[in-house]
Amino acid sequence: MRWWDIEPVLELERELFPDDAWSRGLFWSELAHARGPHATRRYIVAETGAGGGPAASGEIVGYGGLAAVDRTGDIQTIAAAREYWGTGLGARLLGDLLAGAGDFDCREVLLEVRIDNTRAQRLYERFGFEPIGLRPNYYQPGNVDAVVMRRAEPFADEAPEGRTLNGSANGSANDSANDSANDSAEQGMTNDG
């Protein structure tokens, strides 16, 4: 994800998480930690068609973010446009974020997911996450509890086979995903804001 992706990501964020959407400032703050030799974040987007850069023609249909501190990863956010739910995009985004955790040499990855989002919980369980706790009233407004889930390493081989989301053959930092409509989505899953 780059700065020019923030506005379309915000549109999708507000559509999927109307009550607790991240702010523009929060995305800018996260991206400020995603570049350079001391980066502690990885943010990715999935786009339809070819793209990259401020004049990209692809529509953003998913995004995700990972923070890494002291060898612990935390999936900050992951979401896919509703029209891509059930097509595999959520799994691809999650796999790429877990590959990023491997790049950061994480020993574990944590996430929070709404207690009523069983679809996302099943996806996370398929990737080896296990529930480890509950955060009462975590999602506001609405006082919805969050299930805390954890996965231990290894993470190195999590990116989709053959290519990562941006079409490259390695798991290096992905700035965009050039996905076709046939390569896409799972439910908008975690919004840890």
PDB file of all heavy atoms in Angstrom, residues 158-180:
ATOM      1  N   GLU A 158       4.053 -18.834   3.334  1.00  0.00           N
ATOM      2  CA  GLU A 158       2.621 -18.577   3.355  1.00  0.00           C
ATOM      3  C   GLU A 158       2.076 -17.896   2.120  1.00  0.00           C
ATOM      4  O   GLU A 158       0.894 -17.942   1.867  1.00  0.00           O
ATOM      5  CB  GLU A 158       2.255 -17.728   4.584  1.00  0.00           C
ATOM      6  CG  GLU A 158       2.376 -18.489   5.871  1.00  0.00           C
ATOM      7  CD  GLU A 158       1.464 -19.691   5.955  1.00  0.00           C
ATOM      8  OE1 GLU A 158       0.387 -19.711   5.344  1.00  0.00           O
ATOM      9  OE2 GLU A 158       1.842 -20.638   6.644  1.00  0.00           O
ATOM     10  N   ALA A 159       2.906 -17.191   1.357  1.00  0.00           N
ATOM     11  CA  ALA A 159       2.383 -16.476   0.192  1.00  0.00           C
ATOM     12  C   ALA A 159       1.807 -17.475  -0.806  1.00  0.00           C
ATOM     13  O   ALA A 159       2.255 -18.620  -0.875  1.00  0.00           O
ATOM     14  CB  ALA A 159       3.489 -15.649  -0.459  1.00  0.00           C
ATOM     15  N   PRO A 160       0.793 -17.073  -1.567  1.00  0.00           N
ATOM     16  CA  PRO A 160       0.190 -17.989  -2.533  1.00  0.00           C
ATOM     17  C   PRO A 160       1.246 -18.589  -3.457  1.00  0.00           C
ATOM     18  O   PRO A 160       2.175 -17.900  -3.869  1.00  0.00           O
ATOM     19  CB  PRO A 160      -0.770 -17.090  -3.313  1.00  0.00           C
ATOM     20  CG  PRO A 160      -1.070 -15.958  -2.380  1.00  0.00           C
ATOM     21  CD  PRO A 160       0.181 -15.768  -1.572  1.00  0.00           C
ATOM     22  N   GLU A 161       1.098 -19.852  -3.764  1.00  0.00           N
ATOM     23  CA  GLU A 161       2.086 -20.557  -4.582  1.00  0.00           C
ATOM     24  C   GLU A 161       2.219 -19.916  -5.958  1.00  0.00           C
ATOM     25  O   GLU A 161       1.241 -19.554  -6.592  1.00  0.00           O
ATOM     26  CB  GLU A 161       1.676 -22.021  -4.737  1.00  0.00           C
ATOM     27  CG  GLU A 161       2.788 -22.860  -5.295  1.00  0.00           C
ATOM     28  CD  GLU A 161       2.505 -24.332  -5.128  1.00  0.00           C
ATOM     29  OE1 GLU A 161       1.980 -24.724  -4.091  1.00  0.00           O
ATOM     30  OE2 GLU A 161       2.821 -25.067  -6.072  1.00  0.00           O
ATOM     31  N   GLY A 162       3.464 -19.769  -6.386  1.00  0.00           N
ATOM     32  CA  GLY A 162       3.719 -19.266  -7.726  1.00  0.00           C
ATOM     33  C   GLY A 162       3.914 -17.770  -7.796  1.00  0.00           C
ATOM     34  O   GLY A 162       4.699 -17.293  -8.562  1.00  0.00           O
ATOM     35  N   ARG A 163       3.180 -17.007  -7.002  1.00  0.00           N
ATOM     36  CA  ARG A 163       3.376 -15.565  -7.007  1.00  0.00           C
ATOM     37  C   ARG A 163       2.738 -14.967  -5.765  1.00  0.00           C
ATOM     38  O   ARG A 163       1.845 -15.545  -5.180  1.00  0.00           O
ATOM     39  CB  ARG A 163       2.786 -14.906  -8.249  1.00  0.00           C
ATOM     40  CG  ARG A 163       1.289 -14.970  -8.345  1.00  0.00           C
ATOM     41  CD  ARG A 163       0.849 -14.299  -9.651  1.00  0.00           C
ATOM     42  NE  ARG A 163      -0.568 -14.381  -9.793  1.00  0.00           N
ATOM     43  CZ  ARG A 163      -1.419 -13.414  -9.436  1.00  0.00           C
ATOM     44  NH1 ARG A 163      -0.986 -12.316  -8.898  1.00  0.00           N
ATOM     45  NH2 ARG A 163      -2.703 -13.563  -9.626  1.00  0.00           N
ATOM     46  N   THR A 164       3.228 -13.836  -5.373  1.00  0.00           N
ATOM     47  CA  THR A 164       2.616 -13.112  -4.277  1.00  0.00           C
ATOM     48  C   THR A 164       1.548 -12.198  -4.845  1.00  0.00           C
ATOM     49  O   THR A 164       1.314 -12.161  -6.042  1.00  0.00           O
ATOM     50  CB  THR A 164       3.678 -12.307  -3.498  1.00  0.00           C
ATOM     51  OG1 THR A 164       4.299 -11.412  -4.400  1.00  0.00           O
ATOM     52  CG2 THR A 164       4.698 -13.223  -2.857  1.00  0.00           C
ATOM     53  N   LEU A 165       0.904 -11.443  -3.997  1.00  0.00           N
ATOM     54  CA  LEU A 165      -0.215 -10.630  -4.444  1.00  0.00           C
ATOM     55  C   LEU A 165       0.149  -9.631  -5.523  1.00  0.00           C
ATOM     56  O   LEU A 165      -0.677  -9.284  -6.344  1.00  0.00           O
ATOM     57  CB  LEU A 165      -0.832  -9.890  -3.252  1.00  0.00           C
ATOM     58  CG  LEU A 165      -1.652 -10.777  -2.332  1.00  0.00           C
ATOM     59  CD1 LEU A 165      -2.124  -9.978  -1.138  1.00  0.00           C
ATOM     60  CD2 LEU A 165      -2.829 -11.388  -3.052  1.00  0.00           C
ATOM     61  N   ASN A 166       1.374  -9.153  -5.529  1.00  0.00           N
ATOM     62  CA  ASN A 166       1.717  -8.169  -6.557  1.00  0.00           C
ATOM     63  C   ASN A 166       2.286  -8.818  -7.803  1.00  0.00           C
ATOM     64  O   ASN A 166       2.772  -8.133  -8.682  1.00  0.00           O
ATOM     65  CB  ASN A 166       2.685  -7.114  -6.019  1.00  0.00           C
ATOM     66  CG  ASN A 166       4.064  -7.665  -5.741  1.00  0.00           C
ATOM     67  OD1 ASN A 166       4.278  -8.866  -5.776  1.00  0.00           O
ATOM     68  ND2 ASN A 166       4.993  -6.783  -5.434  1.00  0.00           N
ATOM     69  N   GLY A 167       2.208 -10.141  -7.885  1.00  0.00           N
ATOM     70  CA  GLY A 167       2.623 -10.837  -9.085  1.00  0.00           C
ATOM     71  C   GLY A 167       4.093 -11.187  -9.117  1.00  0.00           C
ATOM     72  O   GLY A 167       4.560 -11.772 -10.079  1.00  0.00           O
ATOM     73  N   SER A 168       4.844 -10.857  -8.092  1.00  0.00           N
ATOM     74  CA  SER A 168       6.263 -11.198  -8.083  1.00  0.00           C
ATOM     75  C   SER A 168       6.438 -12.619  -7.591  1.00  0.00           C
ATOM     76  O   SER A 168       5.533 -13.212  -7.037  1.00  0.00           O
ATOM     77  CB  SER A 168       7.039 -10.228  -7.187  1.00  0.00           C
ATOM     78  OG  SER A 168       6.668 -10.388  -5.837  1.00  0.00           O
ATOM     79  N   ALA A 169       7.621 -13.157  -7.774  1.00  0.00           N
ATOM     80  CA  ALA A 169       7.869 -14.546  -7.399  1.00  0.00           C
ATOM     81  C   ALA A 169       8.453 -14.661  -6.002  1.00  0.00           C
ATOM     82  O   ALA A 169       8.736 -15.742  -5.544  1.00  0.00           O
ATOM     83  CB  ALA A 169       8.830 -15.185  -8.393  1.00  0.00           C
ATOM     84  N   ASN A 170       8.627 -13.560  -5.296  1.00  0.00           N
ATOM     85  CA  ASN A 170       9.156 -13.657  -3.937  1.00  0.00           C
ATOM     86  C   ASN A 170       8.191 -13.025  -2.955  1.00  0.00           C
ATOM     87  O   ASN A 170       7.183 -12.490  -3.327  1.00  0.00           O
ATOM     88  CB  ASN A 170      10.545 -12.996  -3.847  1.00  0.00           C
ATOM     89  CG  ASN A 170      10.496 -11.517  -4.147  1.00  0.00           C
ATOM     90  OD1 ASN A 170       9.530 -10.849  -3.816  1.00  0.00           O
ATOM     91  ND2 ASN A 170      11.529 -11.017  -4.782  1.00  0.00           N
ATOM     92  N   GLY A 171       8.514 -13.088  -1.687  1.00  0.00           N
ATOM     93  CA  GLY A 171       7.629 -12.577  -0.650  1.00  0.00           C
ATOM     94  C   GLY A 171       8.033 -11.217  -0.143  1.00  0.00           C
ATOM     95  O   GLY A 171       7.718 -10.877   0.964  1.00  0.00           O
ATOM     96  N   SER A 172       8.725 -10.435  -0.929  1.00  0.00           N
ATOM     97  CA  SER A 172       9.160  -9.126  -0.456  1.00  0.00           C
ATOM     98  C   SER A 172       7.979  -8.176  -0.345  1.00  0.00           C
ATOM     99  O   SER A 172       6.897  -8.444  -0.831  1.00  0.00           O
ATOM    100  CB  SER A 172      10.216  -8.552  -1.389  1.00  0.00           C
ATOM    101  OG  SER A 172       9.684  -8.396  -2.674  1.00  0.00           O
ATOM    102  N   ALA A 173       8.186  -7.051   0.297  1.00  0.00           N
ATOM    103  CA  ALA A 173       7.112  -6.113   0.616  1.00  0.00           C
ATOM    104  C   ALA A 173       6.235  -5.824  -0.590  1.00  0.00           C
ATOM    105  O   ALA A 173       6.688  -5.345  -1.609  1.00  0.00           O
ATOM    106  CB  ALA A 173       7.703  -4.815   1.145  1.00  0.00           C
ATOM    107  N   ASN A 174       4.970  -6.133  -0.474  1.00  0.00           N
ATOM    108  CA  ASN A 174       4.021  -5.970  -1.569  1.00  0.00           C
ATOM    109  C   ASN A 174       3.296  -4.656  -1.420  1.00  0.00           C
ATOM    110  O   ASN A 174       2.707  -4.386  -0.392  1.00  0.00           O
ATOM    111  CB  ASN A 174       3.009  -7.121  -1.567  1.00  0.00           C
ATOM    112  CG  ASN A 174       3.692  -8.420  -1.806  1.00  0.00           C
ATOM    113  OD1 ASN A 174       4.353  -8.575  -2.818  1.00  0.00           O
ATOM    114  ND2 ASN A 174       3.567  -9.347  -0.892  1.00  0.00           N
ATOM    115  N   ASP A 175       3.309  -3.858  -2.442  1.00  0.00           N
ATOM    116  CA  ASP A 175       2.660  -2.565  -2.410  1.00  0.00           C
ATOM    117  C   ASP A 175       1.283  -2.616  -3.032  1.00  0.00           C
ATOM    118  O   ASP A 175       0.441  -1.792  -2.738  1.00  0.00           O
ATOM    119  CB  ASP A 175       3.499  -1.527  -3.145  1.00  0.00           C
ATOM    120  CG  ASP A 175       4.839  -1.356  -2.487  1.00  0.00           C
ATOM    121  OD1 ASP A 175       4.898  -1.405  -1.259  1.00  0.00           O
ATOM    122  OD2 ASP A 175       5.812  -1.185  -3.223  1.00  0.00           O
ATOM    123  N   SER A 176       1.054  -3.527  -3.933  1.00  0.00           N
ATOM    124  CA  SER A 176      -0.264  -3.661  -4.546  1.00  0.00           C
ATOM    125  C   SER A 176      -0.425  -5.079  -5.030  1.00  0.00           C
ATOM    126  O   SER A 176       0.517  -5.823  -5.152  1.00  0.00           O
ATOM    127  CB  SER A 176      -0.433  -2.687  -5.708  1.00  0.00           C
ATOM    128  OG  SER A 176       0.450  -3.032  -6.749  1.00  0.00           O
ATOM    129  N   ALA A 177      -1.674  -5.433  -5.300  1.00  0.00           N
ATOM    130  CA  ALA A 177      -1.960  -6.768  -5.797  1.00  0.00           C
ATOM    131  C   ALA A 177      -2.694  -6.627  -7.103  1.00  0.00           C
ATOM    132  O   ALA A 177      -3.732  -6.007  -7.176  1.00  0.00           O
ATOM    133  CB  ALA A 177      -2.809  -7.514  -4.790  1.00  0.00           C
ATOM    134  N   ASN A 178      -2.142  -7.190  -8.127  1.00  0.00           N
ATOM    135  CA  ASN A 178      -2.758  -7.098  -9.445  1.00  0.00           C
ATOM    136  C   ASN A 178      -3.617  -8.319  -9.688  1.00  0.00           C
ATOM    137  O   ASN A 178      -3.332  -9.147 -10.519  1.00  0.00           O
ATOM    138  CB  ASN A 178      -1.675  -6.959 -10.519  1.00  0.00           C
ATOM    139  CG  ASN A 178      -0.867  -5.711 -10.303  1.00  0.00           C
ATOM    140  OD1 ASN A 178      -1.427  -4.692  -9.933  1.00  0.00           O
ATOM    141  ND2 ASN A 178       0.426  -5.789 -10.514  1.00  0.00           N
ATOM    142  N   ASP A 179      -4.684  -8.425  -8.928  1.00  0.00           N
ATOM    143  CA  ASP A 179      -5.567  -9.577  -9.004  1.00  0.00           C
ATOM    144  C   ASP A 179      -6.652  -9.360 -10.037  1.00  0.00           C
ATOM    145  O   ASP A 179      -7.198  -8.280 -10.159  1.00  0.00           O
ATOM    146  CB  ASP A 179      -6.271  -9.794  -7.662  1.00  0.00           C
ATOM    147  CG  ASP A 179      -5.351 -10.390  -6.630  1.00  0.00           C
ATOM    148  OD1 ASP A 179      -4.190 -10.665  -6.939  1.00  0.00           O
ATOM    149  OD2 ASP A 179      -5.817 -10.576  -5.519  1.00  0.00           O
ATOM    150  N   SER A 180      -6.999 -10.391 -10.729  1.00  0.00           N
ATOM    151  CA  SER A 180      -8.172 -10.327 -11.593  1.00  0.00           C
ATOM    152  C   SER A 180      -9.403 -10.625 -10.755  1.00  0.00           C
ATOM    153  O   SER A 180      -9.308 -11.079  -9.627  1.00  0.00           O
ATOM    154  CB  SER A 180      -8.050 -11.366 -12.715  1.00  0.00           C
ATOM    155  OG  SER A 180      -8.186 -12.657 -12.187  1.00  0.00           O
TER     156      SER A 180
END
